[in-house]
Amino acid sequence: MKGMSTSFSGSENNIVSLTKTPAFVKIIGFSFLCLSLLIILRSFSSDITTVSNPTTPSLKFPMSFTSAPTAGDNPSPPPSAAAAVPELRQPGMERTGIVDENGAMTNEFVVGEFDEEVIDSVVDEKNGSDENGGGVLRGKLGKFKVCDESMRDYIPCLDNMEGSLERHCPPKGKGLDCMVPWPKGYKLRITWPKSRDEIWLSNVARTPFAKGKAGNKWVVRKGDKYIFPGDRTQFAQGVNQYLDQISKMVPEIAFGQRTRVVMDISCGIASFGAYLMDRNVSTLSIATKDVSNNQIQFALERGVPAMFAAFTTHRLLYPSQAFDMIHCSRCSINWTRDDGILLLEVNRMLRAGGYFIWAAEPVHKHEENLFAQLKEMEDLTRCLCWELLKKEGDIYIWRKPLNNSCYLSHAPAVQPSLCSAGDDPDNVWNVNITKCITQLPENGYGANVTAWPARLHSPPDRLFSIKMDAELSRREIYKAESNFWYAVIKGYVGAFRWETLNLRNVLDMRAVYGGFAAALHDFNFDCWVMNVVPVSGPNTLPVLYDRGFIGVMHDWCEPFATYPRTYDLVHAAALFSVEKNRCNVTTIMLEIDRILRPGGRVYIRDTTPVIEELVEIAQALGWVSFKYDSSEGPHSNWKLLIGEKRL
């Protein structure tokens, strides 16, 4: 027993000595490190997304922003354009990416160049090919036919009734059923800002407008291009000198700060809006559709925001107090006709405290008629309580009041009268213009927006005037939407190399609060976004304009009021799952194809069944398309469809 005791004691001493050796300590440390890494990897394994080539860090998309955040949610403040890209983690959103050299998850990676041969082989394998090498779709849909050459500039709701400026869309079942062709010799657009001054001759219609303008000083034909000299416009001294003159006349206009969103009526070739962009002003140029006048097509090809709008019997599709300034230079509109009904519509859209600038025709052109019209204009603006701030030559600048005090002081017999309290000035879809003065909100909503660029991320007061299923959580919803799209665009930049796309004309088919457009601005994309608010959802248009963006109300069961080949990027999030209950999704996809430029991209986020249906339609349209899983993996109910319309 003594020997055994001695032996055991010696063994114990040996074990104690062993545990003190450096080698033993390293073994134990390495074991703990391996165990820790195993636990970390197992915890992240559910977040890793499996996608088809190329790999991308996709993000979970909240299809509705109308529910209140759960307890404990604390959305981070909206990002600043000047700030460095932060590490964002949205409430309820899973991070995806790859493991870096330190074993941590990261989405800071770049997918390499697309292999054109691989993509083409995938397309050929998916579609099959005929003996001539052409694609033959295997599935329920065949290839859509190409429309007749005469329809290359077809605008469905404006080209089916001769001589009418109003929308008259084709009856149900009689809409577009083919792909609108592009002109022979069509070329990929010239990129901005070079496109402001020159466009390809072959990309615009050979209408009398093009031929006529090419012979005057506004547009110069040079080889295979149209050139737009900045000092040769309807403004005698050039656009920049004209803008400088306005700034000197009324310095409070403060382009790019107080004045951010502008409407230019009867815009010509949109040089006014094109040059205002240099001053951080977003200008929507509008004009009527005229068979002898393709000025909107010129504007869009240049890369300037523009669309059709007719001053006739219906309200324009923009909310009340949308524009900080409305401009009309020699626009040939008789503002005083029919008791000033058209100027009353301008008053509805003009922000409280906003400016109306009218450059009248020179008096010597129609001296007697013009003097009478000027007198009527001064009388009418006085009834509207507009203050004439400055008159210099043919330029008049008025300012709209900030509240209703002047209106309420009018005698009951004074015309025009105030609109009734039940009139909703933001109700614009198929609503007739009324001969009354739109009242301003008593709470000051719309008048008290902050200066640009602070207004980009400041939740505006009119957020609380929107009819939707949320009350106290609206600011949180607004911020969460901004943060979500910021994270998504960050992923697109890293995975799909968006910085190489040279985006310019962008369409967001379901804009909600404009978070997608705000993210593009924060990442310094030199583009503009047409934010569409569908009639099937809450009317968030006032918030978009208070934020400093442009947008329009639209029903996607009808064609959009623009030329074919308008947009470089069409974005649709959670749109089709809503609209499929109202109209045929194939019709919407054909409309996207019509307004998408050759070489343009389509990004659609929606539910799995919807995306599966859209994939087949995209193939029938001849798009090169790819489908991606969400961050929840291949069994998630959300997918991303990316399509490219090849030239």
Side-chain angles (χ1 to χ4, degrees), residues 543-557:
V543 173
L544 287 162
Y545 277 93
D546 287 357
R547 196 167 189 173
F549 297 131
I550 60 173
V552 65
M553 178 75 72
H554 183 62
D555 185 345
W556 284 114
C557 293

Side-chain angles (χ1 to χ4, degrees), residues 53-54 112-122 626 646:
N53 184 47
E113 295 289 341
F114 288 111
D115 189 327
E116 299 287 343
E117 294 184 359
V118 172
I119 292 177
D120 290 338
S121 67
V122 171
F626 291 91
R646 293 281 181 88

Side-chain angles (χ1 to χ4, degrees), residues 375 377-386 398 406 410:
K375 178 63 170 62
M377 188 72 166
E378 291 176 356
D379 293 341
L380 179 58
T381 54
R382 196 176 299 112
C383 291
L384 290 174
C385 294
W386 290 4
W398 286 274
C406 174
H410 286 175

Side-chain angles (χ1 to χ4, degrees), residues 492-509:
Y492 289 169
V493 170
F496 300 122
R497 302 187 67 183
W498 268 29
E499 72 279 3
T500 66
L501 296 183
N502 293 315
L503 298 178
R504 183 57 192 169
N505 300 2
V506 177
L507 175 70
D508 189 359
M509 298 179 70

Side-chain angles (χ1 to χ4, degrees), residues 445-458:
Y445 284 6
N448 49 2
V449 294
T450 56
W452 181 266
R455 65 193 277 188
L456 177 63
H457 288 298
S458 298

